[in-house]
Amino acid sequence: MCGIIGYTGSSQALPVLVQGIRLLSYRGYDSAGVSIWNDGSLRIRKDQGRIEDLAPRWNPDELAGTAGIGHTRWATHGVPNMPNAHPQHDAGEQVAVVHNGILENDLALRERLEGEGVVFASDTDTEVFAHLFARSFEGDAVAAARSLLETCHGAFALAIQHASLPSTLVAVRRGSPLLIGLGVRENLVASDLRPLVGRADAVIELGEDQIALVTPDSVRLFGADGGEVEYATRPIDHSERDIGKDGYPHFMLKEIHEQPDRIYELIASRVDAERGAVRLDDVGITDDQWRRFERVDLIGCGTAFHACLYGAYVLESIAGIPARAVMAHEYEARAPRLNDRVLAIALSQSGETMDTKIAAQAAIDGGAHTLGVLNVRQSVIGRAVHGVLDIHAGPEVAVASTKVYTQMLCALLLLALRASQARGGDGRHLQELAPALKRLPDDVRAVLGRFDGVREAARDVRRAGDMLFLGRGYDAGTALEGALKMKEISYIHAEGYPAGEMKHGPIALVSREMPTVAIATEGPTRDRMIGNVREVRARDGEILLVATDGDVDAEKLADFVLWVPSVHPLIAPVVNVVPLQLLAYETARLRGCDVDQPRNLAKTVTVQ
Ligand code: AGP
């Protein structure tokens, strides 16, 4: 996942590009660079590293100019280094290109160009675009851009500059999203809204295989056939306002603490307690369709997949629909039987995860009805599926997903309740759960107030090399999610397992050096979980226990207890994950890790 920014207007481009790169660096931060038109030439500065470290080295006097493009990279082709950083350019530096996506036929094109005498300076697929554009440009930028669309296969969003076009940016879009921000005597190009909020008043979304010529005073769109096309604009919703840390040391901690409010808003907006009904009519599934569905496939990656596990449980147990969770990248391989009696639900924070998009498209092509449970409605997946349930978590900047996970769980629970209503349920589930749903924000808030207990446990586990996370039933996914949080930000090797698996192998791992986190809160699985805890204790293993307030028997078995309030077992996973989010956060902080932008990761993975 990479981020593109372009600016042409009446201000100096460099500060706008640097700020844009900073706001886009959640998409990848291996390297960054800019190209600025200055006195007939393109001034290019780029290197490995993060924008915070690179920008101070760029001399504004050398990079004066009011038109430029910028890029922040998550490496796919070629290691993170200066030659592979974007902008990529042709040998004569007449053309500069920044790119998000994958050029699938780059090897064939590279060989063809090398056969024609082109010498490549990088290992990137992007450099191919620069050479092709330079070789086909004869003054008509649209014609040169069209030649890229005719020659290149794959998914790519491009912003291009040519030295002979002082204030013009050329934008090309196939697959990967690209937006054009409309300002006053200035216009911008960007991968997503973040760099546009507060600068542009309205936005255009470039369509598939479209080309745009962007200058300070005009934006013209062209189709692949070269014909000029009309376009629609939409105002930028200023709730998508630029986001800061609001006083928290890290975005991740801020987003963990946002959960009570986000959960409250979602539930309050969807549950009509007086009428005992869940309102989800805007997701595009009729009662008749709910009654006709014979299976639900829940599809996602990483944290989203863990939410799928919970969703399958609640759809089956509450709505009585057979349901299964499938990792998006495994979906097609399973050759699922698809028809209009199947509901495929794609879970995604970004709405741009390529694996999930491909799986959703397979479901669409197979005739299934599709629903996106997303945090970004205006996204590649959001535009592909039949309907969207927006989880309204708000922008999530930290690479490690937290508030999005609990929002996904709540959204899936509401969906199951709605499905139950439609399929003739007597409403008892909602009656039973309504009080617990009403208390849920306060239950989460209570856990957030117990950070001292987490800090004490984190001081202990910070030195661990390995950890085991165990849960059962609805909390099996919680264990996987807790392990993912720990591994991806503290770099401790953490494994999550359904606790029933212990006897079938993992118990061989138990030792004093490997802390085991066990979720044993009140409910149908508690006693068996306590049995697992005893197995670990019997082998001198260290125990961190997520337990319900007052469970003194459980407390006796634990080295550390992460207490949670008494919560309905079906809703418990929303609460039980919170101490695990905090444990991962504090452990990573104590280990000096970069909590918000962990090594090797990116917030959105738009490559397979
Ligand atoms: C979550 O902490 C990870 N950053 C990662 O597993 C993420 O959940 C996964 O890449 C899916 O992303 P999406 O929700 O944007 O599709």
Side-chain angles (χ1 to χ4, degrees):
M1 184 70 208
C2 300
I4 292 176
I5 179 75
Y7 174 83
T8 180
S10 50
S11 304
Q12 286 301 302
L14 182 60
V16 179
L17 298 178
V18 169
Q19 171 71 352
I21 291 169
R22 191 183 68 74
L23 290 170
L24 290 168
S25 59
Y26 76 95
R27 299 165 73 97
Y29 36 85
D30 292 326
S31 60
V34 295
S35 160
I36 292 177
W37 189 93
N38 176 300
D39 190 22
S41 67
L42 297 178
R43 305 286 176 88
I44 297 173
R45 299 290 183 279
K46 62 180 186 172
D47 208 339
Q48 179 181 355
R50 298 183 180 197
I51 189 65
E52 291 79 10
D53 303 322
L54 298 177
R57 299 183 216 154
W58 296 342
N59 180 339
D61 297 333
E62 294 170 1
L63 295 172
T66 59
I69 56 178
H71 186 268
T72 186
R73 182 171 184 245
W74 184 56
T76 53
H77 290 63
V79 298
N81 62 19
M82 191 286 283
N84 290 336
H86 299 203
Q88 289 292 317
H89 55 80
D90 65 315
E93 297 199 19
Q94 291 299 295
V95 173
V97 180
V98 290
H99 164 221
N100 175 35
I102 294 271
L103 173 58
E104 290 176 354
N105 58 334
D106 73 307
L107 291 180
L109 292 172
R110 179 182 279 259
E111 285 167 11
R112 190 189 92 189
L113 288 164
E114 286 173 336
E116 294 169 4
V118 171
V119 177
F120 278 77
S122 81
D123 304 321
T124 68
D125 54 346
T126 308
E127 189 182 347
V128 169
F129 291 115
H131 292 299
L132 290 174
F133 192 92
R135 296 164 74 81
S136 60
F137 182 79
E138 294 172 351
D140 181 343
V142 174
R146 286 179 62 204
S147 73
L148 297 183
L149 290 171
E150 289 156 10
T151 312
C152 302
H153 307 151
F156 44 90
L158 305 173
I160 303 168
Q161 273 190 300
H162 195 283
S164 66
L165 303 173
S167 59
T168 299
L169 308 180
V170 183
V172 184
R173 186 262 168 107
R174 173 176 285 167
S176 302
L178 200 53
L179 303 178
I180 297 167
L182 306 177
V184 178
R185 291 191 309 284
E186 62 184 21
N187 292 310
L188 298 97
V189 173
S191 295
D192 66 33
L193 272 173
R194 281 204 176 89
L196 304 181
V197 172
R199 182 136 212 136
D201 305 317
V203 65
I204 300 166
E205 184 172 347
L206 212 48
E208 192 65 3
D209 281 10
Q210 284 191 340
I211 299 157
L213 294 185
V214 182
T215 67
D217 303 309
S218 80
V219 174
R220 300 172 65 196
L221 265 60
F222 302 83
D225 61 1
E228 189 157 357
V229 297
E230 295 295 311
Y231 55 78
T233 68
R234 76 170 179 89
I236 291 181
D237 176 355
H238 282 278
S239 71
E240 296 153 318
R241 183 169 304 288
D242 185 4
I243 41 199
K245 296 176 189 167
D246 295 344
Y248 287 93
H250 298 99
F251 279 111
M252 183 178 178
L253 191 60
K254 173 196 169 196
E255 289 153 6
I256 289 171
H257 281 263
E258 281 184 34
Q259 291 178 116
D261 290 343
R262 296 290 87 77
I263 290 168
Y264 166 75
E265 289 157 5
L266 180 64
I267 291 170
S269 65
R270 294 292 185 176
V271 174
D272 185 338
E274 285 174 17
R275 287 194 295 148
V278 174
R279 287 191 299 266
L280 281 172
D281 302 337
D282 55 314
V283 305
I285 300 177
T286 64
D287 285 6
D288 179 50
Q289 280 177 300
W290 276 121
R291 287 190 284 270
R292 291 172 61 238
F293 288 144
E294 294 171 356
R295 190 182 85 232
V296 180
D297 289 351
L298 295 104
I299 306 163
C301 299
T303 289
F305 172 70
H306 299 154
C308 290
L309 293 169
Y310 175 80
Y313 270 123
V314 291
L315 278 161
E316 203 139 77
S317 60
I318 291 177
I321 310 175
R324 62 184 185 179
V326 183
M327 289 182 179
H329 38 80
E330 292 295 320
Y331 192 60
E332 282 190 292
R334 289 183 64 149
R337 295 175 57 80
L338 297 167
N339 54 48
D340 63 0
R341 295 179 181 280
V342 173
L343 169 63
I345 301 179
L347 275 79
S348 177
Q349 188 286 128
S350 60
E352 293 181 5
T353 299
M354 183 60 81
D355 288 324
T356 309
K357 164 69 170 70
I358 289 171
Q361 192 59 54
I364 293 167
D365 297 345
H369 188 80
T370 54
L371 173 69
V373 173
L374 309 173
N375 195 36
V376 181
R377 176 187 290 273
Q378 297 279 353
S379 60
V380 172
I381 296 172
R383 284 184 295 276
V385 293
H386 296 105
V388 172
L389 170 48
D390 189 331
I391 64 172
H392 286 303
E396 186 176 70
V397 178
V399 168
S401 194
T402 51
K403 62 175 180 175
V404 160
Y405 178 67
T406 48
Q407 287 296 92
M408 283 179 172
L409 299 188
C410 292
L412 290 165
L413 178 59
L414 294 172
L415 199 66
L417 290 166
R418 178 70 187 82
S420 173
Q421 276 170 215
R423 292 166 68 93
D426 57 9
R428 64 182 170 80
H429 288 295
L430 182 55
Q431 283 168 349
E432 181 186 333
L433 290 173
L437 286 169
K438 190 172 176 64
R439 272 197 317 273
L440 185 53
D442 287 340
D443 290 336
V444 171
R445 202 169 278 117
V447 174
L448 294 174
R450 303 175 180 180
F451 198 21
D452 289 346
V454 172
R455 280 200 183 94
E456 187 189 356
R459 277 194 293 274
D460 178 85
V461 302
R462 61 178 293 197
R463 298 179 189 83
D466 305 281
M467 291 182 71
L468 193 57
F469 286 69
L470 302 176
R472 281 179 181 263
Y474 293 115
D475 274 317
T478 312
L480 298 180
E481 176 60 13
L484 175 60
K485 292 286 95 54
M486 185 62 78
K487 68 165 71 83
E488 69 175 330
I489 65 174
S490 75
Y491 314 144
I492 292 174
H493 170 232
E495 287 204 61
Y497 262 100
E501 277 295 286
M502 277 295 276
K503 294 186 181 66
H504 305 285
I507 201 163
L509 294 172
V510 171
S511 74
R512 190 72 202 163
E513 291 67 46
M514 187 187 72
T516 296
V517 178
I519 303 157
T521 50
E522 70 182 7
T525 63
R526 179 217 173 263
D527 293 348
R528 286 203 184 150
M529 279 306 300
I530 293 298
N532 289 122
V533 170
R534 292 186 195 284
E535 288 167 12
V536 174
R537 294 297 297 185
R539 290 157 181 84
D540 196 25
E542 179 180 275
I543 288 286
L544 286 76
L545 199 60
V546 179
T548 301
D549 288 346
D551 190 342
V552 292
D553 293 336
E555 184 178 15
K556 293 171 189 163
L557 296 168
D559 296 279
F560 301 93
V561 181
L562 305 175
W563 294 107
V564 297
S566 171
V567 175
H568 190 290
L570 215 151
I571 295 177
V574 179
V575 177
N576 292 346
V577 74
V578 177
L580 306 187
Q581 295 170 342
L582 291 170
L583 181 66
Y585 168 81
E586 184 63 5
T587 305
R589 193 187 66 79
L590 291 174
R591 288 168 64 99
C593 299
D594 186 327
V595 170
D596 285 334
Q597 296 188 335
R599 68 185 183 200
N600 306 341
L601 285 172
K603 184 62 180 172
T604 310
V605 182
T606 59
V607 293
Q608 275 186 297

